Amino acid sequence: MTTDSTATGFGIQEVRRARYAIAAVFTVHGAVTGSFATRVPWIQDHAGVSAGQLGIALAFPAIGASLAMPLAGTVSHRFGARTALRGLLALWTLALILPALAPNLLTLCAALFVYGASAGMSDVAMNALGVEVENRLDKSIMSGLHGMWSVGALIGSAAGTVAAHLGADARLHHTLVALVLTVLGLIACQRVLDLHSEPDQEPPPRFALPPKSALIIGAVGFCAVFAEGASLDWSAVYLRDVLDSSAGLAAASTTAFALTMAIARIAGDRIVDRFGAVRTVRTGGVLATAGGVMVVTAPNAALAMSGFGLMGLGIAVVVPLAFAAAGRSGPNPSQAIAGVATITYTSGLIAPSAIGSLAEATSLVVSFGVVSVLAFGLVLGAGVLRGADRKTVASSEAGVVGRAAAEPRP
């Protein structure tokens, strides 16, 4: 899922500018997700669907992403990384408009299919370019880039909280946000690295099954991303339905979650360099589990919001570290990265549907009890991410998540 390049002579200043540009792209991408998550209760009411039906609808982003994600590499191979990212990111920002327009379950499912497909393709394209910048800088940046995604999600959810508090129509809200983000995304894409495949290079495979050595790494990533997807899309509904909170306060729970994710990811590179990947993820798993327990036992909104925030803090750096560890897990790092990415991102997209289905059969409290159990999986599985420690790796192949480094960053 990476893009090989014939253009290897980028100057250091150009690469540094590309780093800021791709960070802006991550921010725009996250802002779409944050904007959507805070208005899920409005969309549910507008479409007239139950919690179980909403869960069914929220499965369609996973279906769309699963079918479309492998196409991102082909698009980049054909058009070049910059042009591909420009088009795919614009498709994603504009797809934000669709769910709020849906008047019933059928149209909501169709809208979320397109939403998920565009999300997956643009996600693969921007992560591939982030990897290229990281390799060229010989400097760990992936946790920081994911931190900027969380900053974007925070900005989007904060604006959504205000819109929900004011009782704004989500159709108007999302249309305005989509237009602004599309313009910002197109501007940011002008500075990303303009990479092109070798003329005789074969197109990337449409699907990459992870080797056995990477499966358990994918399982750890699955646990973290499941908790993230569940919290982003269901935290507002949880506070509204379980704790009888107002629309504005319910939407603020998503903001709390995004805030802690952003803080932890921005600081993530330095924390991992100091304490190591295993210790960082194991500690994070303890925090995330404690946060989940706080959510399901909370007697009031304040404690539940604190629990969601603690979960965000605990799972924040797992995905970048899972990618790095997968890239060093066997003889074919690119295949491992591609497969683990499919596992982790599909986890985040199926989580909302799974939470809804379980809530329909039992309750949202039980659903987040399951999330707490999965969060504890980070404690048990943290050891498999030892390969993500920069201080223990002398080099890493170009074009995979990770970077060549013999010494830790000061």
Side-chain angles (χ1 to χ4, degrees):
M1 283 192 282
T2 59
T3 302
D4 294 326
S5 173
T6 59
T8 58
F10 294 107
I12 186 62
Q13 292 302 323
E14 186 175 1
V15 176
R16 286 173 178 168
R17 286 194 296 269
R19 175 185 180 180
Y20 296 125
I22 198 64
V25 169
F26 270 75
T27 306
V28 168
H29 196 285
V32 177
T33 301
S35 298
F36 170 76
T38 53
R39 305 312 304 272
V40 168
W42 189 99
I43 293 170
Q44 178 184 3
D45 291 341
H46 177 69
V49 297
S50 66
Q53 291 173 324
L54 179 62
I56 293 172
L58 290 173
F60 278 80
I63 297 171
S66 297
L67 294 176
M69 277 173 58
L71 301 177
T74 302
V75 174
S76 295
H77 176 85
R78 180 172 181 179
F79 297 104
R82 179 187 291 173
T83 300
L85 180 61
R86 184 184 291 127
L88 294 174
L89 185 65
L91 183 63
W92 163 237
T93 54
L94 292 173
L96 175 63
I97 299 172
L98 300 178
L101 299 177
N104 52 51
L105 178 61
L106 181 62
T107 54
L108 182 59
C109 290
L112 290 175
F113 178 90
V114 176
Y115 178 85
S118 58
M121 289 191 293
S122 56
D123 199 304
V124 170
M126 73 186 191
N127 272 284
L129 274 169
V131 168
E132 291 289 347
V133 173
E134 180 175 85
N135 290 337
R136 293 166 193 274
L137 287 175
D138 192 28
K139 183 178 183 180
S140 181
I141 67 168
M142 288 303 292
S143 181
L145 290 180
H146 282 258
M148 294 308 297
W149 187 94
S150 294
V151 168
L154 173 62
I155 294 171
S157 64
T161 299
V162 173
H165 180 72
L166 296 176
D169 190 311
R171 292 169 294 188
L172 176 60
H173 167 213
H174 282 175
T175 298
L176 292 175
V177 169
L179 294 176
V180 171
L181 292 178
T182 299
V183 172
L184 294 177
L186 291 174
I187 293 172
C189 286
Q190 293 184 19
R191 290 285 187 173
V192 301
L193 294 180
D194 192 14
L195 304 174
H196 295 273
S197 300
E198 298 283 355
D200 58 348
Q201 182 184 342
E202 290 293 326
R206 291 181 177 272
F207 179 77
L209 186 67
K212 292 181 180 179
S213 58
L215 287 176
I216 192 169
I217 297 174
V220 173
F222 181 98
C223 292
V225 179
F226 191 98
E228 180 180 353
S231 298
L232 279 174
D233 279 358
W234 282 97
S235 57
V237 177
Y238 188 95
L239 261 72
R240 186 194 65 178
D241 292 355
V242 176
L243 299 174
D244 198 27
S245 301
S246 66
L249 185 60
S253 65
T254 306
T255 304
F257 180 81
L259 176 62
T260 54
M261 288 278 288
I263 293 172
R265 281 178 168 169
I266 289 173
D269 292 323
R270 292 186 179 275
I271 292 174
V272 173
D273 282 345
R274 180 171 181 180
F275 298 105
V278 174
R279 187 183 301 178
T280 300
V281 172
R282 187 163 287 146
T283 302
V286 172
L287 295 176
T289 304
V293 172
M294 287 176 63
V295 168
V296 300
T297 60
N300 54 59
L303 192 60
M305 290 173 66
S306 299
F308 281 118
L310 201 57
M311 276 202 289
L313 185 66
I315 66 177
V317 301
V318 176
V319 171
L321 293 178
F323 284 170
R328 299 163 186 148
S329 65
N332 193 333
S334 295
Q335 185 182 12
I337 287 294
V340 169
T342 300
I343 294 172
T344 55
Y345 286 115
T346 300
S347 169
L349 291 166
I350 67 173
S353 174
I355 292 297
S357 298
L358 186 57
E360 184 80 357
T362 55
S363 69
L364 275 174
V365 174
V366 173
S367 295
F368 277 93
V370 173
V371 172
S372 302
V373 172
L374 289 175
F376 189 70
L378 300 178
V379 179
L380 301 178
V384 303
L385 301 183
R386 195 174 308 277
D389 280 329
R390 295 172 54 230
K391 63 182 69 179
T392 63
V393 180
S395 64
S396 178
E397 290 186 27
V400 300
V401 178
R403 67 187 184 87
E407 296 295 334
R409 198 173 47 163

